[in-house]
Amino acid sequence: MRKAIFSFLQTPIIGVFLGVTLVLLCLFFGAILFFSGSSSTQYVTFCEEDGGCRSKDLPYQNALLPIETRVNDLLSRMTLAEKIGQMALIEKNSIRDPNDIAKYGLGALLSGAGAKPTPNTAEGWFEMVKAFQGYAKKTRLSIPLLYGVDANHGHGNVPGATIFPHQIGLGATKDADLVRAVGRATAEEVAATGINWVYSPNLDVALDTRWGRTYETFGSDPVIAGTLGKAYIEGLQSFETNGIRVAAAAKHYVGNGASEWGSSSNKDFHIDQGDSTLSDVEMRRTQIEPFRHAIEADVRSMMVGLNNWNGEKVVFNTYLLTDVLRGELAFQGFTVSDWYGVYEKESNLYRALVYAVNAGVDMVMLPFDYKLFSKNMHQAVANGDIDQARIDEAVRRILIAKFETGVFDSDVTDHAGEIGTDQHRELARRAVRASLVRLKNDGVVPISKKASRIVVAGSAADNIGMQSGAWTVEWQGIDGNWIPGTSILKGIQDRAPSSTTVEYDLNANFTTKGMADVGIAIVGERPYAEGWGDLEDPTLSGEDLTIIAKLKQVSKKVVVVIISGRPLNIKNDAKDWDAIIAAWLPGSEGAGVADVLFGDYPFVGTLPVDWDL
Ligand code: BGC
């Protein structure tokens, strides 16, 4: 038989015919591969509605197996396109078509500050996240999403959530157990809305308090920042409900708190996204230290900052991201770049991506163009600019974090949980009490029970938005009393003895005759976020100073309560104020201020940053 075929092929005409046919076939299939090649490698299989393309009961789907076994199994089944998808983090409003979540196998979504669902309720968030997860589950391997938010003082995006003091206030408490409880309560409220990833704690160490992000930090002491950060992570990551846990992202690794005035790479900012010239030793001592504590708490992820160190972007710095973070500190979680951080100030987007991934960025907060990301990543692998092994390493870390949150095993399809519970509000009120720092007191606080008349004024007296600061519903915060909570004024009115009259006027225009026993001015900074708050000389506004002066004229003693994200320059104004209280940005539970003003609880807070009085 073999011989017969051989002699048949030897016939010259048949041989030429077969040869031409072979060439044509090669050209035909080659063309198909050429025209479909780039896109077919970028897409992840989209499954049928009935989920028919999914296999069940594979090792990675078995919750009883160790995470390592599950990750190994899952990785071995993934295509390059599926792996690349896992490395992408997209802002939810940049998803052009929700089917893209499956098409590109996207690994994670986020709501940037203020990116809310309609309606902006706990239920609305839950339904939104659930719908996104539904699309992710349609992929061939049904890999669920991480969904991230900036719950940096409670689940601040959601009206009705408990708003805890911003971290600067928690830094004033120096109370790790309290901070651990705040972390846990935050996880509970976040998980109640279907979310499994939180971009906090902020472990930057603020060396220059003119920086607009000072209040996001625990202060200027790296060891305190580390101790409180560790406690927060322990609390946040230990919460579990129906098998769902929340992953923390310690941020921003590393050094933004040391950025120098005037060094920002953003033309609108001064310090934020700037450059520091710290020595290696000082960088480690003042900035890296808190992240060491976070790693002790087994933090699941770390966000890489938008700042520079000695002129080089940290996001491209292999020494910091790989040698120090992985080699020395033995960080096991995954790294995620900050908002557009890989591309910021880098016009060649391909090159920027190659640098960042090779330096040690595992997940890229794009947060916009996932199509280009997918294309460039495929190109980088094809060109040999990014090794497949580097991609496997990054995806392994991301998958471990996903398995640890339980999102593979729990079907969050029930109703949303509760936010803003009485228990959490009570915890927040406790945190407010512990955060107050008495900067000056000429015998007026605690306010005497015998005070028969108290007058209250000031821009922050009756304004829950202002006392909550930024990252509350909107990135730059809100104004007024339209989210649930208690204004500081209301706290005072509720707590004052029944024999005491409390009068309020925002501008201190009091007409009642005679001097009040005590005037309480509640004044401070309007909310700001990030570099928009960089300010050369933070101080009180002229209006607030006028209000304090007017209050002084109608009161025997004046107490000034300062709502601010950092120390304010009050040196020339404060001489005739009888008491000064730093209340930081206390959040929704303003009643905690009255608890201490009226002596039900002592002042225990101490300064988290220097305040030159
Ligand atoms: C901030 C991060 C934040 C991220 C996502 C960035 O602008 O620097 O702290 O986590 O946005 O909202």
Side-chain angles (χ1 to χ4, degrees), residues 87 322 326 335 356-363 386-397:
M87 295 173 72
T322 299
R326 302 292 175 184
T335 54
V357 171
N358 285 333
V361 170
D362 297 322
M363 183 185 273
I386 297 179
D387 221 54
Q388 291 247 22
R390 171 70 195 105
I391 292 185
D392 282 352
E393 176 185 64
V395 177
R396 172 181 295 279
R397 291 172 183 153

Side-chain angles (χ1 to χ4, degrees), residues 110 112-113 150 199 213 251-252 303 338-339 530:
L110 83 145
D150 290 289
Y199 305 140
R213 303 194 81 159
K251 68 186 187 186
H252 305 84
M303 191 185 291
D338 197 353
W339 188 270
E530 303 193 29

